[in-house]
Amino acid sequence: MGTIRKDFRYKVVKNLLSKEEVSLAHDYCRIRNRLNVNQFEGGLSNHQDTSIYGDPFTESLMLNKKKIMEENTGLELLPTYSYWRMYTYGSCLNPHKDRNSCEISVTISIGSSSEKPWPIYIGEKAINLNHGDGVIYLGIEDEHSRKELDTDYHAQCFLHYVDKNGPNKMFVKDKRQLYGMPYNAN
């Protein structure tokens, strides 16, 4: 398998999640958001959005989508971690690059209160995704962001991988013992 860096900055994958998977994920995120009392993200957004690292549901998606990710990148990949976020009205995602565990990332539109797309920017390029679509990008190389959300909510899932033969392979499982465990920065 070859490297994607020669001619690749990002790739949109239509219907990365089937309609059934989108429906299941959207319902799950809405229920989980409603039950959330302590897992909030304010760092990159300056807003209090539900955000969950290593959720068993999204960790399962990460493992199940590995083959599709490998087919689309031409790389042998090692899953690192998953993350999902329920952005709410007024949220944004400030421009940033990710840590080494996010060498090859995909962000997937799960669902929202509106059918209007909420673009992710890879550099200056706005990318619109329908629910179930994903965009694969180089999280540690390319700055990415989102402008302020003007609908009630938008659920997004992030699946992260590293190149099995690359310099970040030690980040498999995000250095956790098992998938689904909390993050350990050590």
Side-chain angles (χ1 to χ4, degrees), residues 128-142:
N128 288 309
L129 302 171
N130 294 319
H131 303 320
D133 293 348
V135 61
I136 302 170
Y137 59 100
L138 306 174
I140 61 176
E141 292 184 30
D142 292 334

Side-chain angles (χ1 to χ4, degrees), residues 5-180:
R5 286 179 179 77
K6 290 179 184 170
D7 60 355
F8 177 97
R9 293 321 313 165
Y10 67 88
K11 181 176 185 178
V12 174
V13 180
K14 294 289 191 186
N15 303 309
L16 182 60
L17 298 184
S18 69
K19 287 183 180 181
E20 294 80 11
E21 289 171 323
V22 169
S23 179
L24 178 65
H26 189 198
D27 288 346
Y28 176 84
C29 290
R30 290 183 69 202
I31 291 168
R32 187 76 171 85
N33 179 64
R34 196 174 315 125
L35 298 174
N36 182 31
V37 294
N38 64 358
Q39 292 178 296
F40 295 101
E41 172 68 43
L44 293 173
S45 176
N46 298 325
H47 206 278
Q48 294 297 309
D49 300 326
T50 296
S51 60
I52 312 238
Y53 171 96
D55 182 88
F57 179 77
T58 56
E59 296 276 281
S60 298
L61 279 177
M62 175 186 65
L63 296 172
N64 281 273
K65 298 304 176 181
K66 178 180 171 270
K67 182 177 176 163
I68 291 171
M69 291 292 293
E70 289 178 330
E71 290 168 356
N72 279 281
T73 62
L75 296 172
E76 291 182 81
L77 298 174
L78 298 171
T80 58
Y81 75 97
S82 67
Y83 190 85
W84 76 264
R85 188 165 179 173
M86 180 70 80
Y87 293 91
T88 55
Y89 182 84
S91 294
C92 66
L93 183 63
N94 293 329
H96 71 284
K97 292 182 183 178
D98 296 325
R99 57 191 178 88
N100 288 349
S101 295
C102 309
E103 182 178 17
I104 309 294
S105 296
V106 63
T107 183
I108 306 166
S109 178
I110 299 293
S112 67
S113 57
S114 169
E115 288 302 314
K116 177 179 149 187
W118 187 39
I120 182 167
Y121 289 81
I122 310 278
E124 299 297 317
K125 175 70 174 165
I127 300 163
N128 288 309
L129 302 171
N130 294 319
H131 303 320
D133 293 348
V135 61
I136 302 170
Y137 59 100
L138 306 174
I140 61 176
E141 292 184 30
D142 292 334
E143 193 171 79
H144 44 285
S145 62
R146 290 181 185 270
K147 299 201 186 299
E148 193 171 295
L149 180 65
D150 65 359
T151 60
D152 288 341
Y153 73 88
H154 185 94
Q156 200 71 27
C157 174
F158 309 90
L159 310 177
H160 303 292
Y161 305 84
V162 291
D163 181 347
K164 181 179 179 180
N165 302 303
N168 295 305
K169 62 187 170 203
M170 76 286 288
F171 291 99
V172 62
K173 296 180 188 160
D174 207 19
K175 296 189 173 183
R176 300 171 292 171
Q177 222 175 5
L178 300 168
Y179 294 113

